[in-house]
Amino acid sequence: MNLHEYQGKQILASYGVRVQRGYVANNAEEAVAKAKQLTAETGTGWHVIKAQIHAGGRGKGGGVKLAKNLDQVHEIAGQIIGMDLITPQTPPTGKRVHKVLVAEDVYYPGESETKEFYMSVLLNRGKGRNMIMYSTEGGMDIEEVAEHTPEKIFTEEIDPAVGLQGFQARRIAFNLGLSGEAFKEMVKFVDALYKAYIGSDSSMFEINPVLKTSDNKIMAVDAKVSLDDNALYRHADLAEMRDITEERPIEVEAKEAGLNYVDLDGTVGCMVNGAGLAMATMDLIKYAGFEPANFLDVGGTADAKRVETAFRIILKDPNVKAILINIFGGIVRCDRVAQGVVDAYKNMGDDIKVPIIVRLQGTNAEIAKELIDNSGMPILSAVQFQEAADQVKAALS
């Protein structure tokens, strides 16, 4: 589950991470009120207005701007709220901005120059260990840094048996070229950041930039956070941070129906049980010369109601030209799935206007094929993977 910047900063602050302070506003008038409140609390004279969407690169798209007075706060907030912000991480049409973060200016003059760093905490799946990735090149796309100056990216792997060690935090601060008070601040920052990552059961914390201020404080100016959905049952307070307006409506509907669904750009809809089989089915479609329109895992229960719900969700995509159902009958019997497909087809009637190809293997697969073949419905059945691929190709040719 992705979070907004202000939500990620709330988690960070609760674990002792210094963050750029700010308040959320839903309209221009509220932004001015929050700016006044922020000035009273922090003394900041300028304010940074930041669009709150689940995507990076907001600044490049015009979603992050500096306001030097309250009139500019009102004007900029009014411009950003309601805009369709386009960044490298949004759909081509962009994402609608519903709220902004009014943040303090932390690039104030002082005894030393400000410096920006990159830092993230995530899981290294290849080694089964958490990893801190960091760089002196903050404020830039880390992909660009990795491509052009990979020597400027450092990693610190953490042994899960002992956790982050003090010498590792000190090594990070040293590799970032810090000394004195800034060095000590960075060590504290890294330790608190890792505790926030572990404590919130996150799958990623990305801070870009981590700022060394002119008075040698270390703080998170941004926060891109992804929580592990499988651990949300342990964090009811974090689960409440979910913003469904940032998610695709079709994926929200599928989740509410208990279906694992990811919207894609192809023309062949998929209905499968099991993530591994779903990936193999998507490969099958690509080998046939087409692109999958979705990833949809119906799980171990595939009765008529669940199959009908899956049908309706898939058919909401106007790009779908055919649907491939690929079920392995282990936990669920194939004949039960077949009956579910036939009943769903009858219930939906003329709503289904695309070819349906069904491949069922496993328990009672033969009975299932007979059910489909004798149903009188225009449903194509297959036994082998290649046979299913050939039928998809024939249906779309």
Side-chain angles (χ1 to χ4, degrees):
M1 184 179 84
N2 294 325
L3 298 182
H4 288 294
E5 173 190 351
Y6 76 92
Q7 295 170 322
K9 284 180 174 176
Q10 287 174 11
I11 296 175
L12 289 170
S14 70
Y15 283 88
V17 178
R18 190 192 303 274
V19 300
Q20 177 193 38
R21 293 164 292 183
Y23 292 104
V24 178
N26 297 297
N27 54 60
E29 290 72 26
E30 190 176 351
V32 172
K34 297 300 183 183
K36 291 178 179 178
Q37 180 181 351
L38 195 60
T39 297
E41 294 175 355
T42 68
T44 185
W46 293 356
H47 301 85
V48 186
I49 314 301
K50 300 182 174 184
Q52 297 299 284
I53 61 170
H54 291 171
R58 293 169 296 163
K60 294 179 180 178
V64 179
K65 293 184 178 180
L66 178 65
K68 297 183 179 181
N69 54 56
L70 293 179
D71 288 339
Q72 289 185 1
V73 169
H74 188 278
E75 180 184 355
I76 294 171
Q79 291 172 351
I80 293 178
I81 295 174
M83 74 181 293
D84 292 319
L85 182 56
I86 299 174
T87 82
Q89 296 183 19
T90 65
T93 55
K95 277 194 171 185
R96 180 65 52 88
V97 180
H98 298 286
K99 62 189 76 172
V100 294
L101 175 63
V102 181
E104 63 177 327
D105 173 32
V106 291
Y107 289 82
Y108 45 80
E111 61 192 60
S112 64
E113 291 185 9
T114 59
K115 290 184 179 180
E116 292 183 335
F117 308 109
Y118 170 91
M119 190 171 296
S120 62
V121 189
L122 63 163
L123 175 63
N124 183 336
R125 297 184 182 276
K127 295 188 177 180
R129 293 186 172 192
N130 289 324
M131 174 179 72
I132 298 178
M133 181 185 298
Y134 58 104
S135 174
T136 55
E137 306 304 297
M140 296 179 59
D141 293 333
I142 197 64
E143 294 84 2
E144 291 290 321
V145 179
E147 181 178 355
H148 300 293
T149 53
E151 70 278 2
K152 293 184 179 180
I153 294 180
F154 303 88
T155 58
E156 194 71 43
E157 292 183 356
I158 295 126
D159 187 332
V162 297
L164 177 69
Q165 297 297 290
F167 77 89
Q168 293 179 297
R170 291 191 292 272
R171 181 158 58 197
I172 291 172
F174 177 80
N175 286 339
L176 291 175
L178 298 174
S179 60
E181 187 62 28
F183 183 96
K184 297 176 184 177
E185 283 276 319
M186 180 60 78
V187 171
K188 294 177 183 177
F189 181 92
V190 172
D191 182 66
L193 173 63
Y194 189 73
K195 287 178 179 175
Y197 171 82
I198 294 296
S200 59
D201 283 317
S202 293
S203 56
M204 184 192 70
F205 260 94
E206 183 179 64
I207 316 297
N208 189 23
V210 174
L211 178 70
K212 182 197 82 66
T213 65
S214 59
D215 52 357
N216 294 311
K217 295 175 182 176
I218 303 296
M219 68 171 63
V221 176
D222 194 8
K224 187 176 182 181
V225 178
S226 293
L227 303 177
D228 186 346
D229 289 356
N230 296 314
L232 284 177
Y233 72 94
R234 299 197 292 205
H235 304 279
D237 55 332
L238 301 183
E240 292 178 355
M241 292 182 174
R242 182 186 178 199
D243 185 355
I244 62 173
T245 64
E246 286 293 311
E247 302 175 23
R248 296 188 178 186
I250 193 171
E251 293 182 0
V252 173
E253 181 182 350
K255 191 168 186 176
E256 291 175 349
L259 301 171
N260 296 313
Y261 179 92
V262 179
D263 200 19
L264 300 173
D265 298 326
T267 58
V268 181
C270 305
M271 189 189 306
V272 188
N273 66 331
L277 184 59
M279 297 301 288
T281 303
M282 292 163 67
D283 286 343
L284 176 73
I285 291 169
K286 291 180 73 71
Y287 283 133
F290 303 96
E291 294 291 331
N294 64 271
F295 170 106
L296 193 154
D297 177 7
V298 296
T301 306
D303 54 21
K305 183 177 180 181
R306 194 172 181 83
V307 170
E308 182 176 340
T309 301
F311 268 139
R312 293 190 183 280
I313 288 174
I314 292 173
L315 291 171
K316 285 188 176 182
D317 183 349
N319 295 322
V320 170
K321 306 302 180 186
I323 297 176
L324 173 58
I325 301 173
N326 193 4
I327 302 290
F328 175 75
I331 298 175
V332 60
R333 298 189 338 239
C334 289
D335 57 320
R336 185 181 180 189
V337 177
Q339 191 62 57
V341 171
V342 172
D343 291 345
Y345 204 111
K346 289 179 179 177
N347 291 339
M348 295 182 69
D350 294 336
D351 289 343
I352 300 180
K353 303 181 186 298
V354 299
I356 307 294
I357 299 96
V358 180
R359 175 187 179 267
L360 300 171
Q361 278 285 14
T363 306
N364 291 350
E366 296 82 2
I367 300 173
K369 191 174 189 310
E370 289 181 10
L371 275 170
I372 290 174
D373 291 342
N374 298 328
S375 66
M377 300 287 105
I379 305 171
L380 304 173
S381 64
V383 177
Q384 302 299 324
F385 247 48
Q386 187 58 52
E387 183 183 359
D390 291 342
Q391 290 197 3
V392 168
K393 193 171 184 177
L396 294 178
S397 297

